[in-house]
Amino acid sequence: MPRRKPQSAKAKKLELQHARAVKRGDEPAPPPLKPGQKRGPVTRRGGAPAPATSASAAAVRKLESAFVRLDNDLLAQAKLRASENALVRPIPRDLALPPPEVLESQGKPLVCPKRPKWHYEDTKKMVEANEEALFKKWLSETDTALHRWLHPPPANAEDPDSVSGSTSAAKEWGPSYYERNIEVWRQLWRVTEISDILVVLLDSRLPPLHFPPSLQSFLSTVKPPRKIILVLTKADITGPEHCAAWSRWLENRHPGVRVVTVESYRPKPMAQGTGRHRVESHIPPQSMQQFVDALKATYAELTTPPEAIRHDPAKVAAWKPRVKEHVEWDVLMQPQDQRASVPRRSDDQEPEDDEEKRYLTLGLIGQPNVGKSSLLNALFGEHKVKASRTPGKTKHFQTLFWTPEIRLCDCPGLVMPNYTHLELQVLCGILPIARIPSLPSCVHYTAQRLPLEKILNLSHPSGATPASEDKRTWRPEQLARRATQGSTEREWTAMDIMTAFAERNGWMTAKAGRPDVMRAGNALMRALAEGRIKWAFRPPGDDTETETGIWIAEPQAKDEEVWDDGESDGEEGDDASETDSTEKSTPDSEEEEKPAKTFTAGRFGALVEDNDDDDEGDDSEESSDQG
């Protein structure tokens, strides 16, 4: 057998970079291998990536979400606040309710960009130029409105230090992110145009954030008007009582709109030795029936003549609905293989005037990471489209036939313009955490509403270093006073939480050996966005007394828990449907009996552990020599 040629770390890195570039479409895929042929090493001149030669590479980059960049001064101030401002404990009750800016407009109403009118004689370039010109104007107006919200003028023109009370708190947090790529907005325009019923998905942890006034006004201006169904997702995190309370609030806030609660996953049996919980796409029969009933009732409204002509039999006879006239709804409760076998009606039974009326189209829209693709997979009962824990996985709208008469359209997630701070958007999982530089500010905002030090069972970093022995002589009353002062709890800051979490997990920077607080903040915000730490805002008017903010108390993180620090994409599907991580487990029984090692709080804890291993190896060698 020929000797395997060793591969350097640099060559391995080039090979991984090439594989990722091929997956993204930036580089052409290598030709298929012949039988018995082996792939050679990947070589690049100067280590620079080869230019993209495929058309898909440009299409992928064209649909990437675009956001504004944060100023360095803003990042420095946010980090300073996270280090100096002590967290209030217990958490005030008003912080368990949604922020005021989510429920009420804080300034000039924000709107979503609308597709301008066009004519059949217009060329493609003319239509695109008109859209881009109006989109550029919309960007300027939205940026101006958000800037005035963050930096409001003085309430009294004579006193420049006076600031209106409703917007004075806006300066403390970061700006609001929203989608700035016109290509992504074009996906929404197309989905709303071809859909007969729009299904708007809302995260049940904070539904008003996912149905802002800008989206409401946009959907109300679509011609002809579309029927809307609101779907509360992630009910397995918040619970049925919480979803029911938000459903009542939404029904009162939006009369005539149906609200449905669904679950898209169920746990799978944990494989022995893996140490991870896996999930599969599934919707409970009760939720499925509720969703189908809402669709059926909404469809009945579309096929019913309007009230203005119901008194005239001649007009009713001449009236035709703008949607497909006959749809089999009972088949939706059957297994997927039986749904596909439903015969489509022949043309002599049901004449159709245009191609769109052959199907009833349901459009799934919403913000990123709200669960659109997950719900679509659950409705089919199998993996149909890619779903990921990373926001913005869906880049282009996708159409799938639920039955031969009903098709579903999955729209990419868009961050709608809203008077909402960046930190709340990150907490709700709307933005990709890997692209957010202000993690200390996000953890600070979250720690004001969640007792993270209690949830994670952290020890204050100031207590990691043992205090020096006090050899002074004290009187008895002074000793009692010092004992009382020493028993008081230390105040926590957001940076203390990140530092303690990094030290507990042994995350240290490579050069200085300090706790890697940014990696800790990344892992914390991912756990919150993905639901590994359960939380939810209470509906307005909820007078429940609580001292733990928005935390849904239950057994949470353990010291042995495996934390995702963001180095994996975390796709959910047949090959990667892993969510929560509980305890590490090893296949060997000898390693299970061995106590787990924990990193010390010092910056050289990792070096101490390595030295211990070396000492053990030296001892074993000496014993073998003596034997």
Side-chain angles (χ1 to χ4, degrees):
M1 182 176 180
R3 178 176 174 269
R4 183 177 179 181
K5 184 178 180 180
Q7 190 176 19
S8 64
K10 184 177 181 181
K12 184 65 175 177
K13 182 178 180 181
L14 288 175
E15 184 178 350
L16 291 175
Q17 291 177 348
H18 175 69
R20 293 169 184 168
V22 171
K23 186 177 181 180
R24 291 193 305 266
D26 295 343
E27 296 184 7
L33 297 177
K34 298 180 180 180
Q37 184 181 4
K38 294 184 178 180
R39 184 80 62 193
V42 178
T43 57
R44 282 190 234 173
R45 186 173 300 175
T53 57
S54 61
S56 61
V60 169
R61 287 193 293 268
K62 193 175 182 181
L63 290 173
E64 287 182 351
S65 297
F67 304 107
V68 68
R69 287 191 175 184
L70 299 180
D71 184 51
N72 292 333
D73 295 338
L74 176 64
L75 297 177
Q77 294 175 5
K79 188 174 182 180
L80 183 63
R81 285 194 298 268
S83 303
E84 295 182 350
N85 295 357
L87 302 172
V88 178
R89 295 294 184 263
I91 299 176
R93 179 182 170 277
D94 59 333
L95 293 180
L97 301 176
E101 62 269 15
V102 176
L103 304 176
E104 301 175 0
S105 180
Q106 300 294 310
K108 180 183 178 181
L110 300 177
V111 296
C112 294
K114 302 175 184 178
R115 187 179 185 183
K117 296 181 179 180
W118 54 276
H119 303 280
Y120 284 99
E121 58 270 15
D122 295 342
T123 63
K124 179 182 178 182
K125 290 184 177 180
M126 294 173 58
V127 173
E128 291 182 349
N130 191 20
E131 292 176 353
E132 291 172 358
L134 291 179
F135 186 78
K136 185 177 180 180
K137 180 181 178 181
W138 171 80
L139 281 178
S140 177
E141 294 176 351
T142 306
D143 288 341
T144 302
L146 290 175
H147 180 77
R148 290 178 179 176
W149 171 61
L150 285 175
H151 308 280
N156 186 1
E158 298 179 357
D159 185 8
D161 296 333
S162 63
V163 181
S164 57
S166 60
T167 55
S168 59
K171 293 183 177 181
E172 184 179 357
W173 307 110
S176 178
Y177 274 26
Y178 66 94
E179 184 58 64
R180 306 177 68 90
N181 187 353
I182 187 175
E183 296 297 335
V184 185
W185 285 104
R186 283 170 175 159
Q187 305 294 311
L188 177 64
W189 295 343
R190 181 56 180 156
V191 170
T192 53
E193 289 173 356
I194 66 177
S195 299
D196 301 315
I197 301 175
L198 293 175
V199 181
V200 183
L201 276 69
L202 315 177
D203 191 333
S204 60
R205 296 177 293 187
L206 186 55
L209 178 67
H210 300 274
F211 198 43
S214 59
L215 179 59
Q216 299 175 30
S217 62
F218 172 78
L219 297 180
S220 63
T221 58
V222 177
K223 302 297 181 182
R226 304 298 199 271
K227 290 293 183 179
I228 299 175
I229 298 177
L230 302 181
V231 177
L232 295 179
T233 60
K234 304 183 180 180
D236 53 331
I237 297 177
T238 57
E241 296 181 359
H242 183 86
C243 292
W246 272 116
S247 297
R248 292 189 296 269
W249 185 88
L250 290 170
E251 291 172 353
N252 296 332
R253 187 72 175 262
H254 308 285
V257 178
R258 293 177 175 84
V259 183
V260 183
T261 302
V262 299
E263 297 180 13
S264 301
Y265 290 105
R266 66 179 177 185
K268 293 176 63 176
M270 186 172 60
Q272 184 177 4
T274 59
R276 287 184 178 271
H277 288 295
R278 299 177 64 88
V279 295
E280 60 183 353
S281 299
H282 174 75
I283 182 171
Q286 183 178 1
S287 298
M288 183 70 168
Q289 186 66 55
Q290 185 183 7
F291 182 61
V292 173
D293 291 344
L295 292 174
K296 190 175 180 179
T298 305
Y299 172 77
E301 295 178 357
L302 295 174
T303 54
T304 302
E307 188 176 357
I309 65 172
R310 291 178 188 175
H311 64 281
D312 192 341
K315 293 182 179 180
V316 172
W319 179 83
K320 287 185 178 181
R322 61 176 179 83
V323 298
K324 185 176 178 61
E325 296 187 23
H326 302 284
V327 175
E328 297 289 344
W329 293 101
D330 297 336
V331 72
L332 292 176
M333 299 304 298
Q334 300 177 3
Q336 175 62 25
D337 54 350
Q338 299 183 18
R339 300 178 203 164
S341 62
V342 176
R344 186 178 299 172
R345 295 177 183 269
S346 59
D347 294 337
D348 56 349
Q349 293 177 336
E350 184 185 349
E352 302 289 358
D353 295 332
D354 60 81
E355 183 179 358
E356 294 296 331
K357 297 180 72 172
R358 294 182 182 179
Y359 330 108
L360 178 69
T361 304
L362 311 178
L364 276 65
I365 63 176
Q367 299 201 103
N369 202 31
V370 79
K372 297 179 295 296
S373 300
S374 302
L375 176 61
L376 198 149
N377 290 332
L379 294 176
F380 281 94
E382 58 181 336
H383 181 71
K384 284 289 186 180
V385 296
K386 285 186 177 181
S388 174
R389 295 175 292 179
T390 302
K393 187 65 177 179
T394 305
K395 297 297 184 183
H396 198 282
F397 77 89
Q398 309 168 76
T399 56
L400 294 172
F401 278 90
W402 199 7
T403 69
E405 298 175 325
I406 304 175
R407 66 177 179 180
L408 301 173
C409 187
D410 181 20
C411 179
L414 289 92
V415 182
M416 307 295 173
N418 194 9
Y419 292 109
T420 307
H421 292 289
L422 161 71
E423 291 78 8
L424 181 60
Q425 293 176 316
V426 175
L427 172 62
C428 296
I430 297 175
L431 303 177
I433 299 175
R435 297 176 58 179
I436 302 301
S438 59
L439 286 176
S441 179
C442 296
V443 176
H444 185 201
Y445 184 91
T446 303
Q448 288 186 347
R449 292 156 177 81
L450 279 164
L452 293 178
E453 70 281 1
K454 177 181 178 182
I455 298 173
L456 303 172
N457 194 20
L458 298 177
S459 300
H460 201 281
S462 62
T465 304
S468 57
E469 182 181 359
D470 191 355
K471 298 183 179 181
R472 291 176 292 180
T473 303
W474 297 93
R475 297 175 182 175
E477 58 272 12
Q478 291 177 329
L479 288 175
R481 189 184 308 114
R482 285 176 54 84
T484 305
Q485 295 175 355
S487 61
T488 58
E489 296 183 0
R490 298 182 177 91
E491 291 184 341
W492 284 83
T493 64
M495 195 61 66
D496 291 337
I497 294 176
M498 298 168 66
T499 302
F501 190 60
E503 290 177 346
R504 198 189 69 179
N505 289 276
W507 294 338
M508 300 292 172
T509 57
K511 293 184 178 180
R514 300 189 182 96
D516 195 343
V517 293
M518 299 301 291
R519 183 177 180 181
N522 193 320
L524 282 175
M525 299 311 300
R526 284 179 179 272
L528 291 162
E530 297 166 7
R532 284 184 281 158
I533 298 177
K534 295 186 177 182
W535 60 271
F537 283 91
R538 302 179 184 276
D542 190 342
D543 54 356
T544 305
E545 294 293 337
T546 178
E547 295 183 353
T548 57
I550 61 176
W551 179 37
I552 301 178
E554 67 170 15
Q556 293 283 347
K558 300 180 180 179
D559 291 342
E560 300 86 2
E561 184 167 359
V562 182
W563 285 91
D564 180 15
D565 57 349
E567 296 182 359
S568 61
D569 184 21
E571 292 186 7
E572 296 174 1
D574 295 336
D575 299 332
S577 299
E578 301 174 358
T579 54
D580 300 6
S581 304
T582 51
E583 297 182 358
K584 290 182 179 180
S585 60
T586 54
D588 300 332
S589 59
E590 296 179 358
E591 296 183 2
E592 291 180 355
E593 297 176 358
K594 192 174 181 179
K597 295 183 179 181
T598 57
F599 286 90
T600 59
R603 66 177 64 179
F604 301 109
L607 300 180
V608 172
E609 184 179 1
D610 294 339
N611 293 336
D612 294 342
D613 295 339
D614 296 339
D615 295 342
E616 292 178 0
D618 297 339
D619 296 341
S620 60
E621 291 178 1
E622 292 177 1
S623 60
S624 61
D625 295 339
Q626 293 176 0

